[in-house]
Amino acid sequence: MNPGFETIMGNDSDTYFDIYTHAPGPSGSLPLTPDMLRDSPSGDLFGLTQNVGMGWDPGNLLGKQVLILGTQGGIREEDGRPIALGYHTGHWEVGILMKAAAEEITSRGGVPFAGFVSDPCDGRSQGTTGMFDSLPYRNDAAMVLRRLIRSLPQRSAVLGVGTCDKGLPSMMLALAGMSNLPGVIVPGGVTLPPTNGEDAGKIQTIGARYSNGELSLEEAAELGCRACATPGGGCQFLGTAGTAQVVAEALGMTVPHAALAPSGQPVWKEMAKQSARAALGMAESGVTTGMIITDRSIRNAMAVHAAFGGSTNLLLHIPAIAHAAGLTLPTVADWAEINRSVPRLVSVLPNGPEHHPTVRAFLAGGVPEVMLHMRKLGVLDEEALTVTGHTIGETLDWWESSERRHRMRRHLLENEGINPDRVIFSPERAKQEGLSSTVTFPTGNICPEGSVIKSTAIDPSKVDADGVFRHVGRAKVFTTERAAIRAIKTKGIAAGDIMVLIGRGPSGTGMEETYQLTSALKHLSYGKEVSLLTDARFSGVSTGACIGHIGPEALAGGPVGKLRDGDWIDIRIDLRRLEGHVEMVGSGENPEDSEAGSKILASRAPHPELAKDPALPDDTRLWAALQAASGGTWRGCVYDVDRIVKLLEAGMNTEEGQAIIKG
């Protein structure tokens, strides 16, 4: 044998040739009836043959079929040791939840099926071209998940098991689009923080801190090794993963007290069994996902998002869920109104003021505890139905006096030394402690269609006594994230600067996250003196004076794409009234006013280096075009099929359209 082939093929073994070409097949017989043979589609009958072929007992074939869809990634030994790594901890232990749910379904006479659509890691892809696929992945995964659901024609209910930034939103979109089926979300929980070390958000800044002389090589290596202290679950902060779990529960799509459970622990596995029982109960009672996801539950989700201080990425996902369910899409005005009426009550990473990991929010009572406070404020619709078959109001009645609530909160106090009321605040205490509301939507001549800032994450020391953040400074404009992070690492950014990153919206990069930049600014000593403007988006763990989702995006002709180095920019964010503006106010030696800035912008061409990223995949270009035709980022980056079809038909009827069709 050629030596090169020997390396690959190895040496032949006699056992390789122990091959057989037929087998007796499963014993027993299918539980068929004359009516089944006369009336059932051939697919239903062949499905039974497939089931026993996989080893299922022929005597237990006719129970309710429940499909368990999961985002599991990697290959594990039974004891958890890795055979092949997953992309992230958030899908590493999902299979354990799926197994627990399946066993519960089987024990109750059901027939569990499982399918998998894994998900990427936004942390792993930060600063890389992998980020160009991050947000577009959500729509693609939701479509595949729905196709899997429809491809099991006899399913009675669906369990969706997901944890992280894109897997869980895509699972919610998939179930929301199957309104006639019972559907339950099983959140994948959270990983634990190290006993001594840094959380998974801060650890992503070791490169920037080392480059600025604020961290040694040895410190970076040791801290980086410990940040993910347990092998499963989403990151320890209220980023997109944690916020998506909270939103799933607020929508009524989970069993009570499901979000943010510690991955791998008994209470987490029990939640999977509870979810299986809920799905079977929905199938028996006729409760469907369309009865759970309604306009009132969407509003509840927005209100709970505000109370938690959640990720701004959910401003993309909640409208998309509403769209999938055929509901009214929330507008910027709706978000602003809710954030004015709902105070932030939760003090966890990354917002603070006390930077607790999210597992402490779970122990303090999680979503039900926050909802108890919201109930007293009258900002919750208690008639919304949940997957338990009970309303939110009935759930809170149970929760308030439940043993589970009191034991969890007592555990946090007695075993962790943490007062649960310092993790989930009462509205009165939150006001005393200065917890500001979650998001603000600034407008101005740079962002005439709007923008978003997680205003609750602005450093309090930069907010004036009247509750207003003010920053007038000169722009430093970048057209690539690589150039922007290089400037931070090489001290090309100084206190007082306003960083502007353009061309990174949907058309340029698939609307990449820019956490590399926001995290570096948060954890560098001068970072709170710098503001950031971009048509891209931010990770849920981002903090600081970071304004994203600027519309129109630069590549769609937005004025943000006309900014130049040295332009004066005036940023004002009122954290009490939740109002703000971002204005270009001149380019001379001194700032002028917004009128002068608007005239300059109107006379300018786009930035000469503005262009879509040359590495942008065709898949993402297609996504960008379809979501733009569907209303863009403010409608959740969805695929609105009716709008797309109308545009295509209108285009096909033009001379230009006919010429394209004919090639």
Side-chain angles (χ1 to χ4, degrees):
M1 183 182 284
N2 183 298
F5 278 106
E6 285 184 2
T7 302
I8 295 170
M9 301 299 293
N11 296 316
D12 288 337
S13 166
D14 289 343
T15 59
Y16 294 174
F17 304 99
D18 186 10
I19 299 169
Y20 52 93
T21 60
H22 55 85
S27 60
S29 59
L30 299 180
L32 299 174
T33 66
D35 286 345
M36 291 170 68
L37 290 170
R38 278 192 294 264
D39 301 330
S40 295
S42 64
D44 288 356
L45 301 177
F46 182 60
L48 298 177
T49 300
Q50 290 280 326
N51 296 347
V52 295
M54 289 183 278
W56 201 259
D57 182 348
N60 297 324
L61 282 174
L62 300 183
K64 287 189 181 300
Q65 295 183 6
V66 178
L67 174 59
I68 308 169
L69 291 173
T71 58
Q72 179 179 336
I75 306 172
R76 299 159 39 96
E77 289 278 15
E78 284 296 314
D79 63 4
R81 287 179 297 158
I83 297 172
L85 293 172
Y87 286 39
H88 54 96
T89 62
H91 63 210
W92 182 246
E93 292 186 333
V94 159
I96 300 173
L97 284 176
M98 297 178 73
K99 181 180 178 183
E103 290 172 344
E104 185 69 16
I105 291 163
T106 303
S107 73
R108 293 174 177 271
V111 182
F113 287 75
F116 301 88
V117 178
S118 197
D119 57 353
C121 175
D122 281 2
R124 187 181 293 273
S125 59
Q126 290 294 335
T128 76
T129 55
M131 183 51 69
F132 299 172
D133 290 290
S134 169
L135 183 55
Y137 169 89
R138 183 203 67 183
N139 289 3
D140 296 344
M143 288 195 297
V144 173
L145 288 164
R146 282 194 292 267
R147 290 190 188 279
L148 285 174
I149 294 169
R150 292 190 293 264
S151 297
L152 190 67
Q154 289 188 305
R155 73 280 187 256
S156 297
V158 182
L159 285 172
V161 189
T163 307
C164 281
D165 294 16
K166 298 304 174 298
L168 185 50
S170 65
M171 197 70 76
M172 288 193 280
L173 261 66
L175 267 60
M178 305 299 295
S179 59
N180 292 327
L181 267 180
V184 179
I185 290 290
V186 186
V190 298
T191 189
L192 299 187
T195 304
N196 296 295
E198 296 180 351
D199 67 86
K202 186 174 183 179
I203 208 65
Q204 294 181 51
T205 69
I206 53 178
R209 285 184 287 157
Y210 172 78
S211 299
N212 278 266
E214 298 186 10
L215 199 66
S216 71
L217 175 62
E218 293 76 15
E219 288 170 329
E222 290 177 10
L223 291 168
C225 186
R226 289 195 296 271
C228 295
T230 52
C235 294
Q236 309 106 333
F237 44 79
L238 197 70
T240 305
T243 306
Q245 294 186 36
V246 164
V247 163
E249 186 167 345
L251 284 166
M253 298 182 76
T254 78
V255 297
H257 198 220
L260 311 178
S263 182
Q265 297 188 32
V267 68
W268 171 82
K269 290 207 307 191
E270 183 60 30
M271 181 259 297
K273 298 177 184 179
Q274 294 163 349
S275 302
R277 295 194 289 270
L280 288 168
M282 291 175 74
E284 287 290 342
S285 64
V287 174
T288 65
T289 304
M291 299 162 69
I292 306 298
I293 305 178
T294 61
D295 287 334
R296 63 187 358 151
S297 67
I298 290 290
R299 190 169 181 85
N300 279 345
M302 295 167 68
V304 171
H305 174 274
F308 268 81
S311 162
T312 54
N313 275 321
L314 272 294
L315 275 66
L316 298 170
H317 301 320
I318 290 177
I321 293 166
H323 175 265
L327 303 173
T328 304
L329 272 62
T331 65
V332 170
D334 295 328
W335 283 104
E337 181 225 327
I338 284 175
N339 276 268
R340 290 189 185 103
S341 61
V342 180
R344 181 166 68 92
L345 305 176
V346 180
S347 181
V348 296
L349 291 161
N351 301 327
E354 297 177 19
H355 292 91
H356 298 290
T358 43
V359 69
R360 289 182 181 166
F362 175 78
L363 288 169
V367 173
E369 194 68 23
V370 173
M371 282 184 162
L372 281 180
H373 292 302
M374 296 172 66
R375 166 193 256 184
K376 294 173 184 174
L377 292 172
V379 294
L380 198 64
D381 192 324
E382 296 185 45
E383 296 303 311
L385 193 63
T386 76
V387 296
T388 64
H390 299 288
T391 64
I392 291 288
E394 291 167 337
T395 300
L396 296 181
D397 290 341
W398 164 78
W399 174 257
E400 192 163 21
S401 58
S402 69
E403 180 185 6
R404 181 186 180 101
R405 177 195 182 209
H406 296 298
R407 288 188 64 176
M408 290 284 179
R409 288 169 59 82
R410 188 166 65 245
H411 178 92
L412 183 60
L413 182 62
E414 295 177 356
N415 293 71
E416 304 291 322
I418 302 295
N419 181 351
D421 292 331
R422 300 290 302 179
V423 181
I424 297 175
F425 286 56
S426 68
E428 298 76 22
R429 177 65 65 85
K431 187 174 183 179
Q432 291 170 8
E433 297 285 339
L435 273 71
S436 56
S437 296
T438 298
V439 291
T440 301
F441 300 89
T443 56
N445 62 18
I446 291 175
C447 46
E449 287 184 358
S451 62
V452 176
I453 181 170
K454 189 195 277 189
S455 43
T456 196
I458 297 174
D459 191 296
S461 68
K462 305 306 297 178
V463 179
D464 294 343
D466 58 357
V468 178
F469 169 81
R470 296 174 170 88
H471 186 181
V472 179
R474 307 200 86 157
K476 288 186 177 176
V477 181
F478 303 90
T479 58
T480 70
E481 187 186 11
R482 183 180 293 274
I485 193 64
R486 186 185 304 119
I488 291 176
K489 289 184 174 181
T490 58
K491 302 186 179 179
I493 298 297
D497 287 343
I498 295 179
M499 296 186 70
V500 181
L501 179 61
I502 59 175
R504 315 314 280 178
S507 300
T509 65
M511 204 177 189
E512 66 182 0
E513 279 187 354
T514 56
Y515 181 60
Q516 243 196 143
L517 308 179
T518 59
S519 60
L521 293 174
K522 175 180 172 60
H523 295 291
L524 289 171
S525 55
Y526 63 87
K528 65 183 179 181
E529 309 290 339
V530 177
S531 296
L532 173 63
L533 309 179
T534 183
D535 52 4
R537 61 193 174 93
F538 301 124
S539 166
V541 72
S542 294
T543 59
C546 305
I547 298 171
H549 298 221
I550 287 177
E553 65 172 307
L555 284 164
V560 68
K562 298 181 178 182
L563 293 175
R564 303 288 193 275
D565 286 348
D567 284 347
W568 287 100
I569 295 175
D570 184 339
I571 303 172
R572 301 195 185 196
I573 310 293
D574 189 322
L575 277 68
R576 295 175 185 168
R577 301 178 64 182
L578 299 188
E579 297 173 350
H581 70 247
V582 183
E583 306 275 9
M584 192 277 213
V585 291
S587 58
E589 286 300 312
N590 296 297
E592 298 178 68
D593 56 26
S594 61
E595 184 177 352
S598 296
K599 289 180 180 178
I600 295 170
L601 289 173
S603 68
R604 275 185 184 167
H607 194 288
E609 296 175 16
L610 179 65
K612 73 175 187 293
D613 196 287
L616 190 69
D618 284 347
D619 301 329
T620 302
R621 289 178 58 213
L622 177 61
W623 166 85
L626 292 175
Q627 67 84 37
S630 303
T633 57
W634 295 109
R635 296 187 83 242
C637 294
V638 299
Y639 296 157
D640 188 323
V641 176
D642 290 338
R643 290 177 66 152
I644 293 168
V645 169
K646 285 179 181 177
L647 281 169
L648 284 172
E649 289 175 343
M652 282 190 262
N653 291 329
T654 65
E655 289 186 16
E656 183 180 3
Q658 286 297 310
I660 292 171
I661 291 169
K662 292 174 182 177

